[in-house]
Amino acid sequence: MKSNIKMRLLSKVFQPLITIPKNAKIKSTEVTCKSQKLLLECGLIRPTSSGLFAILPLAQRAMDKLERHICKHIEAAGAQRISLSSLTPASLWDKSGRLQEMGPELMKATDRHGKQYVLAPTHEEAITDLLADVGPLSYKQLPLILYQISSKFRDEHRPKHGLLRARHFTMMDAYSHHASEDCVLNTYERISRAYRDIFEGLGLKVYRVEAPSGAMGGSLSHEWQAVAEAGEDSLTICQRCQHAGLEAKCPRCGGEGEVVSSIEVGHTFVLNTRYSSPLGACYTDAQGARPPLRAACYGVGGSRLLAACVEAGGRWPRGVAPYSALLVPPKEGSKEWQQLGWSAVEQVYSQLSVLPTLRDDVIVDDRCDMTIGKRLMQANRMGYPYVVVMGKAALESPPRYELVCESSTQLLTMPELLKTIDTIDHGNMAAEKVTA
């Protein structure tokens, strides 16, 4: 009998597992890459239409953690969080010139009064209109950095690769506003350092690459490309100086480069007055004049980044895994189960949850009608950072538990187990502080 200790149980998680046979042709899901196959088979996402997905509980936990990770670094760079409506008046896009320029990529809606709106894929027009409406700002208030994390929409001609190219996605978009071009560039570099901290904290190898500004406009643009086999982009990495670019030959040293596939996980732009001039966003300078604000914008695709983490590494980064630790009890009816019972499972769960890094982040695979081996196979597929198994050694005195971590297995007493996990986690946090 299970007692009243409130444990998180895997059997209670809404996780509709599916099996996609090898070489199967499944038109409805269009499984085209590793991350999409994993997220579908493990019951983390579910397709609802072409390019549209339901994010299920385990993936949502991962998304929540990823967003907190992004927020921590972008706020450390001086950004303040806001929330803008997904519906933006089409008239603003007409004023900026992007209503026609982006054309069929924009999803549009019309209200009962005949007013047209854009389901925004990005919010340059909306943030600039906001500052025009509350302004003019004083030069003393600048630079001003505002950001949000919200749903975005793009009518992709051919959605594919699951969350990597979908019609509905989440994105962190930040906007900095300035009085001078020097201030724009200084802030641009400061937020670029925050980007590096975000990606390094996820264990991703990401390169900042100069790129065309396209429909966004402005004077400077960088794509942030993560190396991954399923990437639709091509990145050239110089074997001599490690410079990355879209060119075949390195512009720095003239060396030849290795071409690799990559995924765009972020994009940053120096916009200057591209939007502030047509939309009337000004500031008051020291002499009382009202010149247009200078701006830059910064985007990180949240749902795309989540899929890229799985695509690049094959496992969840430690800070993004839906649960950091999975506890696997003995099989029902086994000798271990008969001698230990559910009370021993609760005790181990409670001891693991004492660790600050595992608080509210441990789940029990209570499907004890299944063998430990089968549950371990599924746990490995999910990629939990820590798997703790109550096997035969749990009957010893003192009890010992198997810790499966990054494909290695150790047999440890409870004090040793807690110390090992704590040491690994503190080592990871120290490494993140060094990179920051």
Side-chain angles (χ1 to χ4, degrees), residues 27-325:
K27 191 173 181 180
S28 61
T29 54
E30 296 180 349
V31 178
T32 54
C33 65
K34 177 171 59 179
S35 61
Q36 186 181 8
K37 188 173 190 293
L38 175 68
L39 295 173
L40 283 170
E41 288 190 339
C42 290
L44 284 92
I45 64 173
R46 197 79 171 185
T48 58
S49 185
S50 176
L52 301 176
F53 295 88
I55 306 297
L56 304 182
L58 291 175
Q60 187 59 57
R61 277 183 65 90
M63 279 295 303
D64 291 344
K65 290 182 176 183
L66 179 59
E67 289 181 5
R68 287 195 293 271
H69 176 71
I70 292 171
C71 289
K72 178 181 73 173
H73 290 290
I74 205 71
E75 289 182 8
Q80 303 174 59
R81 189 168 184 174
I82 61 170
S83 182
L84 298 168
S85 173
S86 293
L87 280 174
T88 305
S91 58
L92 294 178
W93 288 75
D94 194 32
K95 286 181 182 178
S96 72
R98 289 207 295 175
L99 190 63
Q100 296 300 323
E101 193 172 358
M102 294 189 69
E105 282 193 12
L106 296 178
M107 289 189 172
K108 305 178 184 73
T110 304
D111 69 11
R112 67 182 68 191
H113 305 294
K115 186 173 181 179
Q116 289 193 325
Y117 295 87
V118 169
L119 274 168
T122 184
H123 280 78
E124 284 72 24
E125 285 82 0
I127 192 71
T128 307
D129 182 61
L130 172 66
L131 296 184
D133 184 52
V134 302
L137 299 175
S138 166
Y139 71 95
K140 296 178 181 179
Q141 295 174 270
L142 304 175
L144 175 64
I145 310 171
L146 303 173
Y147 84 101
Q148 63 172 348
I149 297 178
S150 63
S151 292
K152 303 290 189 295
F153 304 86
R154 182 180 293 121
D155 195 358
E156 293 282 357
H157 176 64
R158 187 171 176 265
K160 61 178 180 177
H161 296 334
L163 299 183
L164 291 177
R165 185 168 292 282
R167 287 175 169 162
H168 168 226
F169 52 97
T170 61
M171 185 170 77
M172 186 289 295
D173 45 321
Y175 306 90
S176 62
H177 291 85
H178 314 264
S180 70
E181 187 169 359
D182 284 346
C183 186
V184 174
L185 295 175
N186 288 336
T187 302
Y188 188 82
E189 289 305 317
R190 184 166 80 245
I191 296 182
S192 291
R193 288 194 294 272
Y195 266 47
R196 291 188 178 94
D197 294 339
I198 288 169
F199 299 132
E200 286 176 4
L202 297 172
L204 289 177
K205 186 66 174 178
V206 177
Y207 294 90
R208 188 177 83 159
V209 181
E210 283 195 42
S213 295
M216 193 73 74
S219 59
L220 181 65
S221 164
H222 288 97
E223 293 177 0
W224 296 77
Q225 295 278 352
V227 176
E229 289 182 8
E232 294 184 281
D233 298 328
S234 294
L235 189 64
T236 303
I237 303 172
C238 179
Q239 299 302 292
R240 187 183 299 172
C241 69
Q242 293 300 300
H243 172 77
L246 304 177
E247 315 89 349
K249 190 177 283 288
C250 179
R252 284 186 182 175
C253 67
E256 296 295 330
E258 177 189 3
V259 178
V260 297
S261 297
S262 60
I263 299 168
E264 183 187 333
V265 291
H267 210 144
T268 53
F269 301 83
V270 172
L271 302 171
N272 284 317
T273 61
R274 162 70 176 86
Y275 297 90
S276 56
S277 289
L279 296 174
C282 305
Y283 74 97
T284 303
D285 66 17
Q287 288 73 43
R290 293 185 175 182
L293 286 163
R294 294 181 177 273
C297 67
Y298 318 85
V300 172
S303 49
R304 171 179 278 209
L305 182 56
L306 185 73
C309 286
V310 177
E311 195 68 41
R315 298 179 67 84
W316 298 104
R318 167 65 180 84
V320 176
Y323 285 93
S324 294

